[in-house]
Amino acid sequence: MSDFLGIHGTALALREQRLQLLSANLANADTPGFKAQDLDFTSALQSALQPNAANGDAIEAASTGARFARPSSQPSVDGNTVDGEREHALFAQAALEYRASLTFVESKVRGMLTAITGQ
Amino acid sequence: MSNLPIFDVAGSAMNAQSVRLSTIASNLANADSVAGNPDEVYRAKQPVFRAEGVPGDASLAGVNVVEVRESTDAPLKRYEPGHPLADAQGYVYAPAVDPVAQMVDLISASRSYQANVEVFNNAKELALSTLQMGR
């Protein structure tokens, strides 16, 4: 099944991982000492698509490996590195990217359904 | 798809921010509650936030309210001999609550709350679209 979805199934799962990290950043915008985390999507996708990667764990491992702490443009006294507005913009962008991946997966599924039902 | 930890994250943040809003409301409401004894005066409360892993994924940080701490600022001493609560020297004690700082905190807390509601709604929409795939 994952072969059938091609790159899009993996991409969708990784985009969800990124959305989770960004939501955790926004949630902790007022937590002292919290360091904003982000996911390097390109390198995560590359390592998840390695031929020797195990199927279910590959996404987990790739997203953990591609995490990095994003430095803040404005240092704050309490050590928190979350920029509210920037995080907002990134979340909106990431949600849009998720939607794009979802559309690709969906059109694959539709194509398969058409082939199965023959209508 | 996982068991949607974004909802846990955004939910914990909304809970934390609403605790913060409640303490601010309590501080502002009691800003004028005077007492005849410095030990009985209302003390401003402030929640302490800490990032903590959500149930499904320990590496994903939600917000936890560790404690609600009481301010250690000394109460304000006012000379009001006509006040029914005044002590023998004619003093009453008011809590050291700065209404301006509390209002600023209130705006910050409600903005953060709104941001998390937005995250929640966005995640909900995305999850619904994913569930309806192929229909």
Side-chain angles (χ1 to χ4, degrees):
Chain A
M1 192 65 187
S2 62
D3 278 352
F4 161 66
L5 291 177
I7 196 174
H8 302 304
T10 315
L12 189 69
L14 284 174
R15 292 210 191 282
E16 199 212 337
Q17 299 278 336
R18 178 147 192 259
L19 276 176
Q20 286 173 10
L21 283 183
L22 294 178
S23 75
N25 289 350
L26 272 169
N28 285 291
D30 297 318
T31 309
F34 183 80
K35 307 290 177 215
Q37 298 265 314
D38 203 348
L39 185 78
D40 183 355
F41 181 76
T42 317
S43 72
L45 189 62
Q46 265 168 6
S47 65
L49 289 177
Q50 294 292 318
N52 57 357
N55 202 1
D57 302 338
I59 287 156
E60 201 67 32
S63 78
T64 318
R67 276 185 198 186
F68 64 98
R70 181 152 28 74
S72 168
S73 55
Q74 305 167 334
S76 66
V77 183
D78 64 359
N80 186 304
T81 62
V82 179
D83 285 340
E85 268 63 52
R86 185 155 160 233
E87 221 62 59
H88 239 104
L90 284 174
F91 186 87
Q93 191 188 347
L96 210 62
E97 287 167 355
Y98 181 91
R99 232 171 230 294
S101 280
L102 189 61
T103 312
F104 286 129
V105 172
E106 203 166 359
S107 63
K108 285 262 189 190
V109 171
R110 268 184 214 284
M112 183 55 107
L113 278 177
T114 312
I116 293 170
T117 56
Q119 285 166 356
Chain B
M1 206 164 177
S2 56
N3 54 353
L4 307 172
I6 293 186
F7 295 117
D8 291 337
V9 171
S12 72
M14 283 193 277
N15 177 43
Q17 296 296 346
S18 87
V19 169
R20 188 170 163 209
L21 286 170
S22 315
T23 58
I24 293 167
S26 160
N27 292 346
L28 282 172
N30 285 293
D32 291 322
S33 310
V34 295
N37 179 339
D39 299 329
E40 289 169 11
V41 177
Y42 174 83
R43 294 194 173 272
K45 297 178 191 342
Q46 195 172 18
V48 180
F49 291 174
R50 195 166 61 199
E52 217 158 82
V54 294
D57 185 348
S59 63
L60 204 61
V63 191
N64 186 26
V65 181
V66 191
E67 58 172 325
V68 177
R69 201 171 282 180
E70 294 203 328
S71 156
T72 52
D73 292 350
L76 307 171
K77 198 175 172 186
R78 272 206 307 258
Y79 185 63
E80 278 183 43
H83 199 285
L85 287 175
D87 64 5
Q89 284 79 41
Y91 286 106
V92 292
Y93 300 89
V97 173
D98 179 0
V100 178
Q102 294 293 328
M103 288 307 287
V104 171
D105 215 21
L106 177 77
I107 293 169
S108 165
S110 59
R111 288 279 178 276
S112 299
Y113 190 95
Q114 281 169 356
N116 282 291
V117 170
E118 217 169 288
V119 167
F120 193 96
N121 283 336
N122 241 315
K124 189 185 80 179
E125 228 171 272
L126 291 176
L128 278 178
S129 321
T130 312
L131 288 172
Q132 283 165 357
M133 189 190 305
R135 275 197 202 154

